[in-house]
Amino acid sequence: MAQKQLLKDFIPNLSVNCVVFGFESGKLNVVLIERKMHYWGKIYHDLELPGELVRRDEDLNSSACRVLKELTGLDNIYLKQFEAFGSPQRLKRRKRDLTWLKFVGHPEQTVVTIAYYSLINIDQGKISKYKLHPNVRWMQVSEVQELAYDHNDILTNALAVLRAELLLKPIAYELLPKKFTLGQLQNLYEVILGKSLDKRNFRKKIAKLPYIIPTAEIQANVAHKPAQFYTFNNKAYARMHKEALESAVV
Amino acid sequence: MAQKQLLKDFIPNLSVNCVVFGFESGKLNVVLIERKMHYWGKIYHDLELPGELVRRDEDLNSSACRVLKELTGLDNIYLKQFEAFGSPQRLKRRKRDLTWLKFVGHPEQTVVTIAYYSLINIDQGKISKYKLHPNVRWMQVSEVQELAYDHNDILTNALAVLRAELLLKPIAYELLPKKFTLGQLQNLYEVILGKSLDKRNFRKKIAKLPYIIPTAEIQANVAHKPAQFYTFNNKAYARMHKEALESAVV
DNA sequence: TCAAAAGTGTTAACTGTACACCCATGA
DNA sequence: TCATGGGTGTACAGTTAACACTTTTGA
C-alpha cells in the first residue's frame, strides 16, 4: 500500500480495496496483485486485492477510482461501494501478513477498508492495458486460493453482492462488449449465478425487455450458426425503470 | 462525539453512525440526538444522528453496538451496516457545523463514517429506557427537518435500504412487538413503503408464509372486532429460506 | 458429415391483482 | 346505533417453468 507519496497525505487507518470483475471466454475473472516477499529465507508469491490508503483530501469514491486508474489506466468504470471491513485483527491474522507489514514499513495500525466492486469489459483489445503494472494478475474467480489478510472474505462478499445486483440491475452489460450475443449474455448469467438456465425461457424474457436492442450485425467465422448481436440501450432502460418505479405496488 | 475517554484510544478519522428506526402508533420514528450550542450569541437546538468515533481495539459492529447500548441501554438489537460516507467536506458544509466542531474541540479532520441502521420494537414498555440520555429525541421520520452534517443524506439512504430489505428479508418483525396483528403488519408495510396495499391480497400472502404463526390470543378492549395475534417464527423462516436457496432458479 | 451453438412455441401451474361486503366490539 | 378496524373469495391476467427439434456454419 502507497509508500511513494508522503505518509501525512494519507489517513493511516483507512483504505479502499477494489474487487475488479471481468468476464472473458466464459469465465468470471478478478484482478489481483502479486505480493512477493522473503519469509524465513524463502521467496513467497502471494496475492491480494488492489487497494490503497485514502488521501485526506479525497472522497472515498475518488479514492477507489484512483486505485483503478493507477492499476488499469481506465476510468469511467462501473464502481460500487459495498461494505466496510473493520476488524482490528484483519491485517494480522497470519504470520505472513505480519511479516509483509513489517517489510513494507506499515505502521501496523488497525486499517478499516472500504470495499468496492467494479465491472470491466474485455472489449476492443483493452485487455493489454490491464498489464500496465507488472504485478497485476488476472485470475478466474473459481481458481482463487488463499489471499492476503481478509481478502478472501472481501471477495466472497463482493461475489454475493454481484449475484444479488445481477438480478436487480442491468450490470451484465458492464461486463460484456458493446455488442454481444444472447448466448454470451446467458452464459454470463449462468457463470455468475452458478446454475444453468433454460435457453428458450431466457430468450423470451430478454425479448420482452425494451432496452436490449437487436442490431443488424451477425457473427462471422464461427463453426456454427452465426448469432445476432444485441446492444444495451441505457436510455430505454432508464425510461422503463422510471415508469416501473412510478407504478410500483408490492 | 466521544470526548470523555482518552482521544488516543480512538481512530480520529473514523466514526460510526446509527439510524435507529422504531414503529410506534402507526408511524415510523427515528432516534436523534439534540445538539445545543451557542452560535453568534444565540442558543441553537439542532439534531444529529447518534454516533461516535471508533475505538482502536474494537470491531466496527461492536462500535455500533456500543453506541446503541450507551444510548438506549439495549443490546441484541437488529443492526446492519449499510454504507460508508466519506466526503472530505461532510462535516463542514455549514457554518453551524463548523462552530460546533470548534465548540466540542474536534480536531476538524476528515471523518469517514460507517453508517448502520437499526430496528427496535417498542414492546413491553421498553420505550422508557430510550429516555436514558436527556438529549435523546424520538421523532417521526416524516417530520425530520435539517440535521447536522450530512445526516439527512445518511437518513435518506438508510430509509431506501430499509425499504429494499423489507421486501427481501423478515425485518418487519424486528419493528413489531412479539405478538402482532395482521393490521399492524400491513400498516407497517404501508408506512415504510409509502403506499397502500390491498387487505385481502396482503392477508392471502401472509397466510402462505410458514413462519407467521397465528396464536390463540385475541385483542381486548378495542372498539371494533378484536384481531387475532400472530408471531414470527425464526426457525420456520430459516428452514424455508434454506430450502428456497437450494432450489432457486432465476 | 459432423460438431457446435443458434434459434424457435406451447402448455400447465402458479402468482399477482382487482374488487365489496359482513362482523364484533366499545363508545 | 354508529364508527372502527377485522375478516373473507373469486375471476382474470400475467409470469414462470418444463420441454425437443431444426438451422447454419467451419472444420
Side-chain angles (χ1 to χ4, degrees):
Chain A
M1 291 182 193
Q3 295 301 309
K4 291 167 200 163
Q5 286 108 328
L6 291 174
L7 262 181
K8 72 173 177 59
D9 294 338
F10 294 90
I11 301 176
N13 302 97
L14 194 70
S15 66
V16 293
N17 278 109
C18 295
V19 182
V20 184
F21 290 113
F23 189 71
E24 198 185 1
S25 50
K27 308 283 180 186
L28 187 66
N29 294 304
V30 63
V31 173
L32 296 172
I33 305 292
E34 191 166 340
R35 188 170 77 154
K36 277 185 205 169
M37 64 173 154
H38 298 265
Y39 181 58
W40 297 108
K42 287 185 179 176
I43 296 177
Y44 282 88
H45 300 259
D46 199 30
L47 293 164
E48 62 176 1
L49 291 170
E52 277 210 27
L53 292 180
V54 175
R55 300 180 65 107
R56 291 189 187 275
D57 59 359
E58 77 188 343
D59 191 73
L60 293 172
N61 285 10
S62 322
S63 187
C65 286
R66 180 169 55 81
V67 169
L68 275 183
K69 177 81 182 179
E70 287 169 6
L71 186 75
T72 66
L74 293 174
D75 33 31
N76 274 328
I77 289 179
Y78 183 91
L79 190 63
K80 172 138 189 207
Q81 189 202 109
F82 71 94
E83 193 175 348
F85 292 79
S87 155
Q89 294 307 312
R90 56 178 290 274
L91 297 189
K92 308 175 192 171
R93 289 197 291 203
R94 273 177 296 246
K95 227 174 179 177
R96 176 182 291 198
D97 292 325
L98 260 178
T99 307
W100 174 261
L101 292 176
K102 279 180 193 145
F103 176 62
V104 299
H106 187 279
E108 289 180 61
Q109 296 181 36
T110 301
V111 179
V112 170
T113 198
I114 314 293
Y116 284 76
Y117 83 92
S118 176
L119 305 175
I120 59 180
N121 69 66
I122 312 304
D123 201 4
Q124 306 133 359
K126 278 184 196 163
I127 181 74
S128 59
K129 293 197 187 163
Y130 305 135
K131 305 258 159 97
L132 261 185
H133 279 233
N135 37 359
V136 171
R137 298 288 169 269
W138 184 241
M139 183 173 281
Q140 272 189 41
V141 168
S142 57
E143 291 177 354
V144 170
Q145 310 265 314
E146 196 181 18
L147 300 177
Y149 315 121
D150 58 352
H151 287 189
N152 287 95
D153 297 341
I154 298 179
L155 176 59
T156 301
N157 292 11
L159 251 181
V161 173
L162 175 62
R163 282 193 189 112
E165 304 250 288
L166 186 66
L167 298 174
L168 298 170
K169 295 176 188 173
I171 59 174
Y173 316 101
E174 305 287 342
L175 288 164
L176 290 172
K178 280 204 180 93
K179 293 177 180 181
F180 54 86
T181 69
L182 297 185
Q184 288 177 297
L185 184 61
Q186 183 177 343
N187 184 231
L188 186 151
Y189 273 85
E190 290 180 332
V191 168
I192 296 182
L193 300 176
K195 58 190 162 199
S196 59
L197 304 174
D198 181 277
K199 205 202 318 184
R200 280 180 287 188
N201 292 337
F202 184 82
R203 292 165 101 98
K204 256 181 292 174
K205 211 171 198 171
I206 299 297
K208 266 188 238 165
L209 302 177
Y211 51 84
I212 307 294
I213 318 289
T215 70
E217 227 171 305
I218 280 185
Q219 264 184 338
N221 304 316
V222 285
H224 54 78
K225 180 169 173 178
Q228 189 171 11
F229 283 109
Y230 289 74
T231 58
F232 168 70
N233 183 309
N234 200 22
K235 279 179 194 167
Y237 174 76
R239 208 178 309 127
M240 195 212 66
H241 186 62
K242 191 161 164 273
E243 281 167 22
L245 279 184
E246 281 161 5
S247 69
V249 185
V250 173
Chain B
M1 288 181 192
Q3 295 302 311
K4 292 168 202 163
Q5 286 107 330
L6 290 175
L7 261 180
K8 72 171 178 54
D9 293 337
F10 294 90
I11 301 176
N13 302 98
L14 193 69
S15 66
V16 293
N17 278 109
C18 295
V19 183
V20 184
F21 290 113
F23 189 70
E24 197 186 2
S25 50
K27 308 284 179 183
L28 187 65
N29 294 303
V30 62
V31 172
L32 296 172
I33 304 293
E34 191 165 340
R35 188 170 77 156
K36 276 186 207 167
M37 67 171 150
H38 297 266
Y39 182 57
W40 297 106
K42 287 186 181 175
I43 296 177
Y44 282 89
H45 300 258
D46 198 27
L47 293 164
E48 62 176 4
L49 291 170
E52 277 210 28
L53 292 179
V54 175
R55 300 178 67 107
R56 292 189 187 276
D57 59 359
E58 78 187 340
D59 192 74
L60 292 173
N61 286 9
S62 322
S63 187
C65 285
R66 181 170 52 82
V67 169
L68 276 182
K69 178 81 178 176
E70 288 170 4
L71 186 73
T72 66
L74 293 174
D75 32 31
N76 274 327
I77 289 179
Y78 183 92
L79 190 62
K80 173 141 188 205
Q81 189 201 111
F82 71 94
E83 192 175 347
F85 292 79
S87 155
Q89 293 308 310
R90 57 177 290 274
L91 297 189
K92 308 177 195 172
R93 289 197 291 204
R94 275 176 295 247
K95 226 175 180 178
R96 175 181 294 198
D97 292 326
L98 260 177
T99 307
W100 175 261
L101 293 175
K102 276 177 194 146
F103 175 63
V104 298
H106 187 279
E108 289 181 61
Q109 297 181 35
T110 301
V111 179
V112 170
T113 198
I114 314 296
Y116 284 76
Y117 83 91
S118 177
L119 306 176
I120 58 179
N121 69 66
I122 311 305
D123 201 3
Q124 306 134 358
K126 277 185 196 160
I127 179 76
S128 58
K129 294 197 187 163
Y130 305 138
K131 304 255 162 99
L132 260 185
H133 278 234
N135 39 355
V136 171
R137 296 288 170 270
W138 184 243
M139 183 173 282
Q140 272 190 41
V141 168
S142 57
E143 290 176 354
V144 170
Q145 310 266 312
E146 195 181 18
L147 300 176
Y149 316 124
D150 59 350
H151 289 188
N152 288 96
D153 297 341
I154 298 179
L155 176 57
T156 301
N157 291 11
L159 250 181
V161 172
L162 176 62
R163 283 195 188 109
E165 304 249 289
L166 186 65
L167 298 175
L168 298 170
K169 296 177 187 172
I171 58 174
Y173 316 101
E174 304 288 342
L175 288 163
L176 290 173
K178 278 203 182 96
K179 294 180 179 179
F180 52 87
T181 68
L182 297 184
Q184 287 176 298
L185 184 61
Q186 182 176 343
N187 183 230
L188 186 151
Y189 273 85
E190 290 180 332
V191 167
I192 296 182
L193 300 175
K195 58 191 162 199
S196 59
L197 303 173
D198 181 278
K199 206 202 318 184
R200 278 182 288 191
N201 292 337
F202 184 82
R203 293 165 101 99
K204 255 182 293 174
K205 211 171 198 171
I206 299 297
K208 266 188 239 164
L209 302 177
Y211 51 85
I212 307 293
I213 318 289
T215 70
E217 226 170 307
I218 283 186
Q219 263 184 338
N221 303 314
V222 286
H224 53 78
K225 179 168 174 179
Q228 190 170 10
F229 283 110
Y230 289 75
T231 58
F232 168 70
N233 183 309
N234 200 22
K235 279 181 192 164
Y237 174 77
R239 208 178 310 128
M240 194 211 68
H241 185 63
K242 189 159 165 272
E243 281 167 21
L245 279 184
E246 280 161 5
S247 68
V249 186
V250 174

